[in-house]
Amino acid sequence: MKTLRMVLRIVGLLLTALGLWWLGQGTGTIRWPASDAMVGDQLWVTLGAGVAVVGLVLILLSRRLR
């Protein structure tokens, strides 16, 4: 069970970070690389928010497992 908690936490952290990156690029807050098609695109705001929420749910789920 400890291994499952660790895996869920690591995957959750990675998904949260990736989702926040996409969210930042979609809103134009993160403009790196400047020529990226994701910068300023509303689709990436939506996808990033969704992925970040899934990551947070996995982190919370890992904390509930005993």
Side-chain angles (χ1 to χ4, degrees), residues 3 6-7 14 17 19 22 28 32 36 40 48 60:
T3 305
M6 184 181 300
V7 168
L14 290 174
W22 288 355
W32 183 82
D36 195 358
L60 291 174

Side-chain angles (χ1 to χ4, degrees), residues 40-64:
D41 190 350
Q42 183 64 35
L43 172 66
W44 294 104
V45 174
T46 306
L47 291 174
V51 170
V53 167
V54 169
L56 290 174
V57 167
L58 289 179
I59 292 169
L60 291 174
L61 183 62
S62 75
R63 294 182 62 146
R64 294 188 63 140

Side-chain angles (χ1 to χ4, degrees), residues 1-47:
M1 192 63 80
K2 185 176 181 179
T3 305
L4 178 61
R5 282 195 330 228
M6 184 181 300
V7 168
L8 285 175
R9 189 167 293 160
I10 290 170
V11 171
L13 286 170
L14 290 174
L15 285 176
T16 302
L18 180 66
L20 291 174
W21 180 265
W22 288 355
L23 187 77
Q25 282 202 321
T27 60
T29 305
I30 300 173
R31 294 191 167 275
W32 183 82
S35 62
D36 195 358
M38 293 170 62
V39 175
D41 190 350
Q42 183 64 35
L43 172 66
W44 294 104
V45 174
T46 306
L47 291 174

